[in-house]
Amino acid sequence: MKTWHDTTLDAPSRARALLAELTLEEKIAQLGSYWNRPKSEPEAEDGDHHDVAPMEHAMRQAAWDDAHRNGLGHLTRIFGTQPVTVEEGRAELRARQADVTSASRLGIPALAHEECLTGFTAMGATVYPAAIAWGATWRPELVREMAARIGADLHALGIHQGLSPLLDVVRDYRWGRVEETCGEDPYLVGTLGTAYVQGLQQEGVHATLKHFVGYPASRAGRNHAPISMGRRELEDVMLAPFEMAVREGGVKSVMNSYCDIDGVPAGASRWLLTEVLRERWGFDGPVVSDYWSVNFLTSTHRIAPDEATAAARSITAGLDIELPDTGSYAAVPEAIERGLMTEADLDVAVLRALTQKAELGLLDERPEIAGGERPDADLDSAANRTLARRVADESIVLLRNDGILPLKADPGRVALIGPVWTDVRSFLGCYAFPNHVLSRYPGAKTGLHILGIDDVLHDRFEGVEPIAGCDFIGGSDEDLEAAVAVAAKSDLAIVTVGDIAGLFGIGTSGEGCDVDQVALPGRQGELLDRVLATGTPTVLVLVTGRPYALGDYADRCAAIVQAFMPGVEGAEAIVDVLTGDTNPSGRLPIAIPAHPGAQPGTYLAPTLAWFSDGISNLDPRPLYPFGAGSPTRRSTCRTRQSPPSRSRSTGP
């Protein structure tokens, strides 16, 4: 038995013993990765590439035989890249691991990672509510329970690391990834994120904090834009949740942010990745790159003239593993030869990578590398569904109610209007498999049983007439006028407006789906305004990933229900609030603005960033403030006092 196989030794000792045996090429291989992307890229009906990572279609990829010739650090998203069944994914993972261990001179397996923000991003896996909905629950124990179920499903299929949770603190509602965060308060974000880490890791899957750090404060809310932020704000707001998850949660992995802060990209910041993360907080695990962020030092940040320089700057800063493919790190030999880094620098990163593999059992003499505890794993089990429903129930926020809710047993003629009821994908976040991957395949469904709001309402009431009026982004005058006509002849209008999540502009919310103002998308605001003008009592149901300005509509609505992408059980959860079967207990993790224009800031701000009568004519105060809602039980999260609302009616 080799020393590194000896399970009586601690993980660092085993890793050091193995490191001493590796050649330069074998060391570099442990910091690399391979993404088994589809052989032929599917195209959506619009003919565009629908990337699932930034600039995916522009990135080159080594052939498989070259990628694992000397071993391999990570296998990227075997289950989460294209539609595969559990058995197909298992078979692929076994085959890839067999190739890696046979090619590796010392038989070192790869570590397999997957996305898991709204559940396991795999075909047919339960999609839980989006992270912004976790924030609305204010329930860390519920988030911990959910993460444990996600971790159990990942572990059963041989997945070692999950790329979640996000600990980004919202600073600008225009940013597309608001839906992936837990809100705008660092204590709330840190508490819920730490609970997620604990739940996932109790099942033997390493969590990965994202995105370290500053990402949600990008200029004008634009994805990847630079960060203009002083050290104090960075420390007080952005770093605090990550420190909680490191010190209290014991997180095993961290991922860098794409952004740069005062001209220094996070992926090349020794101050962030070494001095703060490791030396101050004591984190000793690996830092993995967000996808292609090492390459971006050359191609987008342009602080490195070539890949050798990019590799050296990342590794010496403290970024250990390059995902999703080995790109710039292939130039490490050149970087060493040119004196940009030393082999000792390389050894520091490799030791962390090998220590993680030892902790996960991948350096054992007979490692379990493809799962085996649940050979017939059901990724959408009844237990998963029950928990998804509980999270959805506790995340829904009642913002306004003039007494119309709960609805009467016979509400009369009900007009169900708006785009949300027409597409159940509106309940799902951008990292849910149906939106993240299946949207690339023309004609593909969700792969899950998901009821629509119309289905549930038809079961509860007679006389429900559904009509869209518009879609999420556009719509015709004729469709809008038809919906208004239905509302005018009805006793009640339920208007369902909000988001459809996507990536890089293919959606109204999600990564790369940024906006220049927080008005309701497309013609949805116009539709709502015209329905309200009919005088028919109107219940507004928002299913969104970010907050939208409601100042033009709120006082005319009989009730306002805010649901933040509530997952596969969303329709039942929403309708149960309307009927009174659920007493809504959610509270806002982000404020609801009064106006859509250039006042995108959050409540956590210096005095002069807030309303200042006699100094500025602009009033940034929200319509409904952070923390607003109708809680029926004491929250288990505490937070700072939120600023006052502009609305005279902040609750039911």
Side-chain angles (χ1 to χ4, degrees):
M1 183 174 65
K2 302 293 186 181
T3 303
W4 57 85
H5 292 154
D6 187 353
T7 57
T8 66
L9 298 176
D10 62 24
S13 297
R14 296 171 68 189
R16 282 191 292 270
L18 179 54
L19 176 64
E21 299 293 324
L22 298 182
T23 66
L24 176 63
E25 291 75 16
E26 289 169 338
K27 292 175 183 178
I28 296 166
Q30 291 303 310
L31 303 185
S33 57
Y34 180 80
W35 192 0
N36 185 33
R37 288 182 270 170
K39 298 295 185 296
S40 58
E41 286 293 312
E43 289 189 347
E45 292 173 355
D46 57 14
D48 291 337
H49 289 282
H50 288 192
D51 290 350
V52 300
M55 299 175 64
E56 175 191 353
H57 66 280
M59 296 296 175
R60 70 178 189 276
Q61 183 179 39
W64 171 240
D65 287 346
D66 294 330
H68 76 284
R69 189 180 308 280
N70 294 297
L72 190 64
H74 277 238
L75 285 165
T76 296
R77 297 181 60 178
I78 295 293
F79 289 88
T81 296
Q82 53 192 315
V84 295
T85 65
V86 167
E87 275 311 309
E88 288 169 340
R90 279 184 183 277
E92 179 72 13
L93 181 56
R94 290 192 189 99
R96 296 289 180 181
Q97 289 283 28
D99 285 351
V100 170
T101 54
S102 61
S104 170
R105 180 173 60 90
L106 299 172
I108 309 168
L111 186 157
H113 76 256
E114 296 282 350
E115 297 283 1
C116 57
L117 183 60
T118 60
F120 186 176
T121 301
M123 188 172 71
T126 303
V127 179
Y128 295 89
I132 195 64
W134 316 346
T137 72
W138 295 52
R139 291 284 306 279
E141 66 275 17
L142 188 60
V143 172
R144 186 181 298 111
E145 185 179 352
M146 178 192 69
R149 291 213 63 85
I150 296 169
D153 286 341
L154 290 165
H155 189 262
L157 298 186
I159 306 307
H160 308 105
Q161 183 170 334
L163 304 186
S164 292
L166 269 71
L167 271 73
D168 294 319
V169 180
V170 175
R171 301 301 281 164
D172 191 325
Y173 305 136
R174 297 172 296 180
W175 188 51
R177 304 188 80 166
V178 168
E179 66 170 70
E180 299 179 56
T181 77
C182 293
E184 66 182 63
D185 179 83
Y187 185 79
L188 178 66
V189 172
T191 300
L192 297 178
T194 298
Y196 186 100
V197 167
Q198 293 167 336
L200 198 74
Q201 292 189 170
Q202 79 180 43
E203 298 300 324
V205 176
H206 286 188
T208 306
L209 304 184
K210 303 194 307 189
H211 303 89
F212 192 68
V213 66
Y215 194 11
S218 56
R219 291 179 189 166
R222 294 179 61 251
N223 198 34
H224 292 214
I227 308 303
S228 300
M229 179 176 288
R231 184 67 58 88
R232 179 176 176 177
E233 184 179 357
L234 190 74
E235 294 272 7
D236 288 351
V237 179
M238 293 301 184
L239 288 176
F242 289 91
E243 184 174 5
M244 290 174 68
V246 170
R247 293 187 185 273
E248 299 177 17
V251 72
K252 294 293 188 179
S253 180
V254 173
M255 175 181 281
N256 72 291
S257 166
Y258 284 126
C259 71
D260 74 63
I261 303 171
D262 197 22
V264 180
S269 173
R270 183 171 176 81
W271 177 72
L272 280 175
L273 302 183
T274 296
E275 294 176 25
V276 172
L277 182 61
R278 303 185 191 284
E279 295 173 1
R280 191 199 303 178
W281 298 346
F283 177 73
D284 58 5
V287 173
V288 300
S289 78
D290 206 343
Y291 285 12
W292 292 299
S293 59
V294 180
N295 174 282
F296 289 165
L297 297 183
T298 302
S299 60
T300 60
H301 293 295
R302 300 184 182 179
I303 67 162
D306 50 48
E307 292 190 330
T309 306
R313 293 202 63 171
S314 292
I315 291 172
T316 56
L319 198 158
D320 303 309
I321 295 166
E322 184 179 21
L323 302 181
D325 286 313
T326 307
S328 299
Y329 277 17
V332 166
E334 179 187 345
I336 293 174
E337 183 179 347
R338 289 166 53 187
L340 301 173
M341 61 179 289
T342 66
E343 189 166 353
D345 295 325
L346 177 66
D347 286 350
V348 171
V350 177
L351 181 61
R352 287 194 280 255
L354 294 177
T355 299
Q356 183 185 29
K357 287 191 174 183
E359 291 172 345
L360 289 163
L362 293 174
L363 300 190
D364 294 355
E365 193 167 12
R366 293 182 178 82
E368 173 54 64
I369 57 174
E373 292 185 5
R374 290 163 51 195
D376 299 319
D378 180 0
L379 300 182
D380 192 33
S381 66
N384 284 6
R385 284 288 187 143
T386 298
L387 184 54
R389 175 62 188 275
R390 284 173 53 205
V391 179
D393 283 343
E394 299 209 29
S395 71
I396 295 175
V397 186
L398 180 60
L399 293 175
R400 179 180 175 86
N401 185 17
D402 69 358
I404 197 169
L405 299 182
L407 297 177
K408 296 182 295 185
D410 181 10
R413 294 172 298 180
V414 177
L416 177 60
I417 295 169
V420 166
W421 72 263
T422 70
D423 194 338
V424 296
R425 292 187 305 119
S426 63
F427 301 145
L428 315 180
C430 74
Y431 270 80
F433 193 84
N435 289 338
H436 199 68
V437 177
L438 285 181
S439 61
R440 306 171 91 184
Y441 294 82
K445 306 297 184 183
T446 64
L448 292 159
H449 175 68
I450 310 175
L451 294 176
I453 293 175
D454 57 325
D455 298 318
V456 182
L457 281 175
H458 279 307
D459 284 343
R460 306 289 179 90
F461 303 116
E462 296 181 358
V464 176
E465 185 172 352
I467 184 168
C470 66
D471 60 25
F472 290 94
I473 298 174
S476 68
D477 290 343
E478 292 77 13
D479 288 342
L480 194 146
E481 289 165 2
V484 172
V486 170
K489 68 179 183 181
S490 298
D491 301 302
L492 171 70
I494 299 174
V495 180
T496 65
V497 297
D499 286 314
I500 190 76
L503 295 162
F504 312 111
I506 312 298
T508 62
S509 174
E511 184 174 359
C513 295
D514 312 314
V515 295
D516 57 8
Q517 60 175 350
V518 287
L520 287 167
R523 302 189 72 176
Q524 294 182 67
E526 181 184 357
L527 173 65
L528 174 59
D529 186 64
R530 291 190 58 182
V531 170
L532 289 168
T534 66
T536 299
T538 298
V539 175
L540 174 60
V541 176
L542 298 125
V543 180
T544 69
R546 66 162 59 84
Y548 287 105
L550 300 180
D552 289 341
Y553 319 110
D555 288 345
R556 294 183 286 158
C557 293
I560 302 175
V561 174
Q562 172 71 62
F564 292 108
M565 293 182 174
V568 290
E569 297 288 323
E572 296 96 317
I574 290 168
V575 173
D576 275 359
V577 166
L578 301 182
T579 61
D581 292 306
T582 296
N583 196 359
S585 60
R587 297 168 64 188
L588 289 178
I590 46 178
I592 303 295
H595 303 298
Q599 296 292 309
T602 65
Y603 90 89
L604 197 58
T607 302
L608 290 176
W610 203 245
F611 177 66
S612 47
D613 193 18
I615 296 175
S616 172
N617 63 311
L618 296 178
D619 186 351
R621 289 177 296 177
L623 183 67
Y624 298 107
F626 170 82
S630 179
T632 58
R633 42 92 184 116
R634 182 174 297 175
S635 170
T636 51
C637 282
R638 295 171 299 158
T639 188
R640 302 172 179 84
Q641 183 178 2
S642 59
S645 169
R646 301 181 61 197
S647 173
R648 290 172 294 177
S649 177
T650 59

